[in-house]
Amino acid sequence: MTDYERVADALGNTTWITWCTDATLATLDDVLAPDSGDWNPPTAATFSEADEAAHLGMQEGMSVLLAGALGHGVVLLEPGLPFLGSGAQDRLSQAGACLDVGWSDFGPPFVTYREKGRVVVSFDGIVWEDDATPDQETVERWMSTTPGGLKGWQTNYGTASLMTAEAIMGAPLDEQWLAREHTCITRRWGDPERRPRSVSLGELLKHVAAPLPCEARAESAGEAPNSPGSGHPPA
């Protein structure tokens, strides 16, 4: 059984997490292509390695994406600076369902659930009474259908998100998943001397379902207050 609080703590200052069902390599290629055509060659990395690279690379404006297969689709983690561009989740959800969660104080604690490219609900994970789409009643009715129920969201939106994502994906984002190697993609900004070569995103992401060999490692580079990993709702 998944220890959601331990996983939430392990995710620490991850900025965004996106779970997508029925996402294929072609889907990911289409989704990421509009954001930029320049990427560093892919590496294999565990979550902790990607997290270290992301946070050490912040001053250089480097963003990191860790992409891996999970259950019925893929999960995308942005450990530091945001990586996915505007509209990426809308495109990712065209074939199925997509849950994206603002995980830490690097961004708003926002939760959005989409199906077939349409936003079903979107809300502030802490104070949705003030920010809920389409409205508070619909959001709370949706929450009631999730594994943790409305009370789970009221207690901690991070663990409630993990439980909901597990039900959607048919597999948990657990400590075993975080410890395994997945595909890590980095992108740098503002340094022409270190500009990455332009490559096909299909090439970069072809190993999402089959992780890269151990020799390809991510380049090396706390938990924010009131984050989902705090184990209790913020005051």
Side-chain angles (χ1 to χ4, degrees):
M1 183 174 180
T2 308
D3 187 333
Y4 299 106
E5 289 191 8
R6 283 178 61 89
V7 175
D9 287 339
L11 288 166
N13 286 331
T14 299
T15 307
W16 289 96
I17 307 175
T18 303
W19 292 266
C20 309
T21 66
D22 302 308
T24 65
L25 298 182
T27 302
L28 290 171
D29 199 357
D30 291 342
V31 165
L32 296 180
D35 296 339
S36 173
D38 294 309
W39 315 89
N40 285 314
T43 60
T46 63
F47 170 74
S48 62
E49 291 167 340
D51 183 64
E52 181 182 11
H55 286 84
L56 288 178
M58 277 186 175
Q59 291 186 342
E60 300 178 21
M62 183 181 77
S63 55
V64 175
L65 179 72
L66 187 68
L70 179 69
H72 306 312
V74 297
V75 59
L76 310 174
L77 290 88
E78 300 166 75
L81 296 175
F83 190 104
L84 296 176
S86 176
Q89 284 85 0
D90 288 336
R91 299 192 297 274
L92 277 167
S93 66
Q94 292 295 323
C98 183
L99 177 71
D100 63 276
V101 179
W103 194 260
S104 75
D105 284 357
F106 287 120
F110 225 71
V111 179
T112 303
Y113 176 69
R114 297 171 173 84
E115 288 182 351
K116 305 296 184 182
R118 180 181 67 87
V119 173
V120 177
V121 291
S122 185
F123 55 92
D124 186 301
I126 298 172
V127 286
W128 58 83
E129 297 86 352
D130 300 327
D131 196 345
T133 300
D135 53 62
Q136 181 180 345
E137 181 181 357
T138 302
V139 165
E140 292 185 347
R141 187 164 57 246
W142 177 83
M143 289 175 174
S144 298
T145 68
T146 66
L150 177 58
K151 185 176 180 180
W153 291 93
Q154 292 170 332
T155 301
N156 186 291
Y157 85 94
T159 52
S161 297
L162 290 171
M163 295 172 69
T164 301
E166 180 174 340
I168 293 169
M169 304 297 288
L173 178 63
D174 55 17
E175 292 177 289
Q176 288 72 34
W177 191 95
L178 294 175
R180 291 196 297 270
E181 290 185 330
H182 304 286
T183 297
C184 183
I185 306 169
T186 62
R187 177 174 61 193
R188 293 184 185 275
W189 302 100
D191 186 350
E193 296 300 320
R194 302 178 72 176
R195 189 173 180 82
R197 68 185 180 93
S198 182
V199 296
S200 160
L201 284 167
E203 176 189 344
L204 290 177
L205 292 167
K206 66 184 177 182
H207 296 290
V208 168
L212 292 167
C214 295
E215 307 87 70
R217 309 293 297 184
E219 57 183 298
S220 293
E223 178 183 314
N226 297 343
S227 72
S230 62
H232 55 78

